[in-house]
Amino acid sequence: MKVLKFGGSSVANSEKIKQVLSIVAKTSEEQKVAVIVSAFGKTTDKLLAGANEALEDITAAKEILELIKELHFRVIDDLIIKNKKEVTEEITYLFDHLISIYEGIFLLQELSNKTLAKVSSFGERLSSYIIANAAKETLDATHKESRDLIVTNDEYLNAQVNFEVTNKNIAVFFQDNQHKVTVLGGFISSNTGEETTTLGRGGSDFSAAIYAAALNADELQIWTDVSGMFTANPRIVKQAYPISEISYEEAMELSHFGAKVLYPPTIQPALRKEIPIRIKNTFDPENFGTLISNDPENGNEVKGISHIEDISLITLEGGGMIGIPGFSKRLFEALSVAKINVVFITQASSEHSICVGVYDTDAEKAKTILDETFSIEIYRKKIKPIIVENDLAIIAVVGESMKNYQGLSGQMFSALGRNNVNVRAIAQGSSEKNISAVINKYDAKKALNTLHEQFFEERTKQLNLFVTGVGNVGERFLAQLNQQKKFLKENLKLNIRVIGISNSRKMVFNDSGINLDNWKDLLENGEPTSIDNFYIKVKEANHRNSVFVDNTANQTVSEIYEKYLRNSISVVTCNKIACASSFYNYKKLKEVSKKYNASFLFETNVGAGLPIIDTLKNLVNSGDQIHKIQAVLSGSLNFVFNNFNESSTFHDVVTQAQKEGYTEPDPKIDLSGVDVARKILILARESGFKMELEDIEKNAFLPEEALNTSNNDDFYAALTKHENHFQNIFKQANDKDCRLKYVAEFVDGKANVGLQHIPTDHPFYNLEGSDNIVLFFTDRYPVNPLIIKGAGAGADVTASGIFADVIRIANQ
């Protein structure tokens, strides 16, 4: 015999019940079947809502009942022909009885546990009777009331089963029952006085296990709306997948810690008889599902990750506990008497503290009881008043084979730490089947995804990007990312998703990733943005492996980097302002980055996509000493002076440079030398020197009038006005057979920037287009410098540099 249990989602309407009957018919061809059914979807919740409503408003209660009634009679009309009159009469009687109970609640103004049990039982009484009669249309089927077979104590809402009497009742009934299919209601039972009791929410699974154990069934099948137990909750972790085989102990651990596909007490009766449990999908019956047995195939050492939310941590601590027996006994005894369930326990080896996890709903009650229990010790200051921390969650990593693998707990806590998930308490049993941690409820989703990636997705790492600034550089960055998406997945095992995009007006977010084929349309229809609002949305999204990408030249954006880093959100930026701000701020960002394990990368601050900063870091980290740096660091200025001559105007060349994306939006930043000064400052700091922007000597070549302009129109007008000035500069260099280059120098702790005449034998002379060049003179390269040369400006190369920094973070 097989026992098949179908949950509320499987019997929610006529079409779904037809699917259930199809599964039952196929199974019953080979052997007898006991079918345990839940109430039609959400019926129990509605029945209880009606009962509570009846205390105040009997009319509203009856309206709720009428909606429930409509659903049940619609199913009768759709599925039953043969016994329609008999079924209609019985169901009408049950609903009339319910109305009488509601009226009694209203008149007596009382809603006891006994009445709640009676009301909630009607869901299964109705569904099992209707489904049994629907089965009779085509199958050899019968109906049996579970209240006649399962006998419990007098705990009406969470009754304890008398297995001796129950097993005997079930055995006797099925011994005499010759029908191929028997339909029974789950969840419901009765006490020795034949009063209705229930087995607790989720009790239909438990009912099925009771029947399976009593009948020594070949298999217990739990049919639901998912294809088995998953590696994590698929509603939270999109990459989660079904576990094909799992042990009873692993299943118990996962279900205890929130895997809702299986009610925890279900496993015990089946475990005692070693009856396999299979979790199946009603709407995908050919799917293998999950097999729970005594001897599963091993598979992954970690079988699943689960969690419970709405947890409070209760802490009893104090020096007066050390070496004094009885504190634990009194703690747990007080909670037990108050019927407060403890879901987590940990104790310091010093005996200085004991922590227990309880549900948030019990926290206040637990504190009151424990403060009273230990009032004398608290008064004498031997222990502290009870400490309660709310809004927590327990996350559990489960696997029977975990004990055979070293370092799993290290992997777990390292992964959480990298993503700024603070662990409040830890528990691990001696069997090592479970490692549990108490964390902030707010971090639960991020923690689950982080650990799932750590233990189940080692081959593919996911990065979640939040991009601000989608001008020339930002647009090219998104295009490159979209173009390389497939390559990154196949070759680097890297899944990069853009979760948020913003410009100066709008922002758009999508937790599943923004479609980069039409991001412009999505952004245009997005919500109004601000720098602070974008940060708040990024923080609230709370994704693992988050990276903030700044493609702007905005000072206000640079001032918010620290907030991102403090939330373990890495920062990648081509914006030079932060690293060229005060030395204190530069060092602070570096320190915060290290403290919160969030990368702060700015390779594109100098040389766009050229590996200048990375090379410099490698020199310094390997012990080399930087003595001198000579560089042409402005692609825009190099472009300008490579194209400017007696047959062109300075105004036109600068306009062309801006049009082709070589200058900042405000070209004066480049031409004034400020941009180059920032770059040499950053290189000096990365070389290990303390320096401020004011310490750099700037030799300006622009006329004073151009330097003092406040907008681009006035700036370009000033360039036109002073064309003779620029022609004289060109002529002076040309007369010496030299070329004009804007050079940055750093020598022995001092730096300067300015226009220089470069002779034909200098490495800078043949620097063409918008190329940059850097010469590093060090202990290892004292005479012949280490040279880095290449394109140092332009949207494409800058975007590629940002892309490279993102890849660096992924590879860390």
Side-chain angles (χ1 to χ4, degrees):
M1 172 175 269
K2 285 187 178 179
V3 176
L4 281 61
K5 180 266 173 178
F6 294 91
S9 60
S10 297
V11 294
N13 55 45
S14 302
E15 288 304 312
K16 292 180 178 180
I17 293 170
K18 285 179 184 178
Q19 176 67 17
V20 166
L21 294 176
S22 172
I23 293 166
V24 171
K26 187 174 181 180
T27 308
S28 65
E29 290 174 0
E30 301 172 358
Q31 56 195 301
K32 282 187 174 183
V33 178
V35 180
I36 317 302
V37 295
S38 296
F40 293 171
K42 305 299 181 184
T43 294
T44 303
D45 289 339
K46 293 173 184 174
L47 287 168
L48 293 173
N52 283 288
E53 192 70 49
L55 285 167
E56 302 291 334
D57 186 347
I58 188 61
T59 302
K62 287 180 178 179
E63 288 173 357
I64 292 172
L65 202 56
E66 193 60 34
L67 293 174
I68 300 170
K69 187 176 180 179
E70 285 176 12
L71 169 63
H72 286 74
F73 276 100
R74 191 158 57 245
V75 173
I76 294 170
D77 287 340
D78 291 342
L79 301 181
I80 298 173
I81 299 172
K82 292 179 182 176
N83 301 321
K84 194 164 195 172
K85 183 174 182 296
E86 177 188 333
V87 174
T88 300
E89 288 175 353
E90 177 64 20
I91 298 304
T92 299
Y93 166 76
L94 290 174
F95 275 106
D96 288 344
H97 191 180
L98 263 170
I99 289 173
S100 298
I101 295 172
Y102 279 8
E103 288 173 342
I105 294 168
F106 178 71
L107 292 170
L108 295 173
Q109 287 295 290
E110 183 182 3
L111 184 55
S112 65
N113 286 348
K114 181 177 178 179
T115 304
L116 283 169
K118 184 172 288 189
V119 169
S120 60
S121 73
F122 275 82
E124 275 71 14
R125 291 170 66 184
L126 291 162
S127 66
S128 61
Y129 184 77
I130 292 171
I131 291 170
N133 280 276
K136 288 178 185 179
E137 297 285 321
T138 56
L139 302 172
D140 175 21
T142 189
H143 174 254
K144 181 62 179 175
E145 265 274 10
S146 283
R147 294 183 303 163
D148 296 338
L149 302 177
I150 299 178
V151 179
T152 69
N153 64 3
D154 293 336
E155 289 285 337
Y156 291 101
L157 297 181
N158 196 12
Q160 302 301 304
V161 177
N162 183 329
F163 281 99
E164 184 178 349
V165 175
T166 297
N167 290 344
K168 183 178 178 181
N169 289 346
I170 294 170
V172 169
F173 170 76
F174 277 92
Q175 187 175 352
D176 297 335
N177 175 31
Q178 298 303 311
H179 293 282
K180 297 262 312 186
V181 176
T182 305
V183 181
L184 307 106
F187 174 62
I188 54 177
S189 50
S190 64
N191 60 20
T192 53
E194 298 185 356
E195 296 171 316
T196 298
T197 60
T198 62
L199 301 178
R201 299 309 297 269
S204 288
D205 285 356
F206 189 31
S207 301
I210 292 168
Y211 283 112
L215 295 168
N216 289 308
D218 299 323
E219 187 173 88
L220 166 59
Q221 296 181 356
I222 307 291
W223 291 81
T224 181
D225 56 359
V226 292
S227 298
M229 297 188 82
F230 278 62
T231 49
N233 186 336
R235 292 181 180 87
I236 299 174
V237 181
K238 303 301 182 185
Q239 292 77 27
Y241 55 86
I243 307 166
S244 58
E245 294 193 30
I246 193 170
S247 72
Y248 292 114
E249 288 81 4
E250 290 168 332
M252 275 194 287
E253 293 282 1
L254 285 174
S255 59
H256 173 72
F257 282 98
K260 293 181 172 59
V261 73
L262 190 64
Y263 182 54
T266 303
I267 299 166
Q268 282 294 351
L271 172 59
R272 283 196 292 268
K273 294 288 187 75
E274 295 189 7
I275 296 168
I277 304 172
R278 194 180 294 275
I279 314 293
K280 298 276 283 179
N281 189 340
T282 306
F283 313 109
D284 185 12
E286 298 306 314
N287 193 298
F288 181 82
T290 297
L291 178 63
I292 304 170
S293 68
N294 217 23
D295 188 28
E297 289 188 8
N298 282 335
N300 200 342
E301 61 271 15
V302 175
K303 283 294 179 68
I305 303 162
S306 196
H307 81 299
I308 313 173
E309 292 188 353
D310 301 317
I311 294 294
S312 291
L313 200 61
I314 310 288
T315 303
L316 177 70
E317 69 174 346
M321 294 170 57
I322 300 173
I324 307 298
F327 274 93
S328 298
K329 174 182 179 294
R330 292 166 62 194
L331 171 69
F332 293 113
E333 188 172 64
L335 295 175
S336 175
V337 169
K339 296 183 178 178
I340 294 174
N341 186 33
V342 174
V343 293
F344 177 95
I345 305 168
T346 186
Q347 181 173 13
S349 58
S350 64
E351 301 181 47
H352 183 264
S353 68
I354 304 172
C355 292
V356 296
V358 302
Y359 290 104
D360 281 345
T361 51
D362 291 327
E364 183 101 10
K365 181 180 176 183
K367 175 173 172 56
T368 301
I369 289 166
L370 293 177
D371 275 337
E372 183 179 336
T373 301
F374 297 101
S375 58
I376 294 174
E377 288 85 354
I378 293 170
Y379 176 75
R380 293 176 178 173
K381 297 188 177 179
K382 289 188 174 183
I383 63 172
K384 297 178 182 178
I386 301 299
I387 301 168
V388 179
E389 297 174 75
N390 301 116
D391 297 323
L392 303 174
I394 300 173
I395 192 159
V397 174
V398 173
E400 199 164 357
S401 300
M402 283 169 29
K403 59 190 174 187
N404 300 321
Y405 292 84
Q406 295 180 344
L408 284 177
S409 58
Q411 292 180 48
M412 175 180 176
F413 295 115
S414 293
L416 294 175
R418 284 196 302 272
N419 283 277
N420 200 28
V421 177
N422 186 34
V423 175
R424 296 291 306 111
I426 302 167
Q428 180 175 9
S430 58
S431 67
E432 298 184 53
K433 292 186 181 76
N434 176 331
I435 306 172
S436 304
V438 178
I439 62 173
N440 192 312
K441 176 182 172 182
Y442 168 75
D443 289 324
K445 179 181 177 181
K446 179 164 68 172
L448 282 169
N449 279 277
T450 295
L451 295 177
H452 196 273
E453 181 179 84
Q454 178 69 38
F455 293 115
F456 296 102
E457 305 167 42
E458 294 91 347
R459 290 175 57 80
T460 302
K461 183 173 183 178
Q462 182 171 289
L463 233 60
N464 297 293
L465 306 190
F466 299 89
V467 180
T468 191
V470 285
N472 288 338
V473 174
E475 182 176 350
R476 294 308 306 146
F477 169 66
L478 293 176
Q480 290 174 13
L481 192 60
N482 197 27
Q483 176 187 318
Q484 291 298 102
K485 194 171 185 180
K486 184 178 179 182
F487 176 87
L488 294 174
K489 280 189 176 180
E490 291 179 355
N491 294 275
L492 300 185
K493 305 303 177 187
L494 184 59
N495 179 25
I496 299 181
R497 307 186 309 171
V498 177
I499 304 297
I501 299 175
S502 77
N503 58 20
S504 59
R505 299 178 298 105
K506 298 286 185 73
M507 64 181 177
V508 62
F509 285 81
N510 186 328
D511 269 351
S512 300
I514 294 169
N515 184 345
L516 295 183
D517 290 326
N518 65 334
W519 65 265
K520 290 183 180 179
D521 292 336
L522 295 171
L523 182 60
E524 188 61 34
N525 293 299
E527 59 184 293
T529 189
S530 70
I531 292 168
D532 287 332
N533 286 341
F534 190 75
Y535 161 73
I536 290 168
K537 293 280 282 187
V538 174
K539 184 180 175 183
E540 287 176 349
N542 202 25
H543 283 286
R544 71 196 188 281
N545 303 328
S546 290
V547 183
F548 172 64
V549 180
D550 176 17
N551 298 313
T552 75
N554 187 300
Q555 178 166 337
T556 311
V557 174
S558 74
E559 290 169 354
I560 206 167
Y561 292 169
E562 186 178 340
K563 288 186 177 181
Y564 283 105
L565 295 171
R566 286 188 178 278
N567 284 278
S568 293
I569 298 168
S570 295
V571 173
V572 170
T573 181
C574 60
N575 186 342
K576 292 174 278 293
I577 295 175
C579 289
S581 62
S582 70
F583 184 79
Y584 171 82
N585 188 57
Y586 163 81
K587 288 294 288 182
K588 184 70 173 291
L589 291 174
K590 290 269 194 170
E591 289 165 1
V592 171
S593 166
K594 186 176 181 180
K595 180 177 179 180
Y596 292 94
N597 202 28
S599 296
F600 176 42
L601 299 182
F602 44 89
E603 180 66 68
T604 49
N605 277 195
V606 181
L610 294 175
I612 294 172
I613 292 176
D614 193 51
T615 301
L616 178 56
K617 283 181 179 178
N618 290 335
L619 289 172
V620 173
N621 291 340
S622 64
D624 205 353
Q625 184 70 36
I626 311 298
H627 298 298
K628 179 180 177 181
I629 300 172
Q630 283 186 315
V632 174
L633 293 174
S634 174
S636 54
L637 282 171
N638 202 41
F639 178 90
V640 167
F641 286 110
N642 279 335
N643 288 278
F644 176 56
N645 53 48
E646 66 275 4
S647 61
S648 63
T649 69
F650 197 73
H651 169 279
D652 290 347
V653 174
V654 174
T655 302
Q656 183 185 356
Q658 185 178 25
K659 184 178 180 181
E660 295 187 22
Y662 293 127
T663 72
E664 298 286 353
D666 177 1
K668 188 173 69 174
I669 294 174
D670 296 284
L671 273 68
S672 67
V674 171
D675 188 60
V676 176
R678 286 171 176 164
K679 291 176 180 179
I680 195 66
L681 173 66
I682 292 168
L683 292 182
R685 287 174 172 179
E686 290 294 299
S687 300
F689 292 85
K690 182 178 179 180
M691 182 175 284
E692 301 290 353
L693 188 60
E694 305 82 62
D695 298 332
I696 298 173
E697 183 183 344
K698 304 174 193 70
N699 300 309
F701 68 88
L702 287 176
E704 198 69 28
E705 183 177 349
L707 284 172
N708 291 332
T709 58
S710 58
N711 58 68
N712 284 0
D713 289 341
D714 290 348
F715 178 72
Y716 279 114
L719 297 186
T720 301
K721 180 178 178 181
H722 294 278
E723 178 63 27
N724 287 338
H725 167 75
F726 299 114
Q727 290 293 340
N728 287 333
I729 291 174
F730 172 78
K731 186 175 185 307
Q732 289 172 13
N734 196 48
D735 289 347
K736 297 178 183 177
D737 200 20
C738 291
R739 299 183 74 176
L740 289 168
K741 301 292 177 185
Y742 199 87
V743 178
E745 287 186 318
F746 172 77
V747 184
D748 296 329
K750 293 183 179 180
N752 67 84
V753 296
L755 202 58
Q756 293 187 13
H757 295 168
I758 303 299
T760 55
D761 61 346
H762 195 282
F764 293 171
Y765 185 83
N766 290 315
L767 195 66
E768 299 297 335
S770 62
D771 284 1
N772 281 191
I773 187 170
V774 178
L775 280 59
F776 289 121
F777 295 85
T778 73
D779 284 348
R780 295 174 193 156
Y781 301 92
V783 178
N784 295 315
L786 175 62
I787 300 175
I788 301 171
K789 178 181 176 183
D796 272 315
V797 291
T798 304
S800 70
I802 292 166
F803 201 159
D805 272 348
V806 170
I807 299 298
R808 283 188 185 93
I809 291 173
N811 290 333
Q812 288 175 354

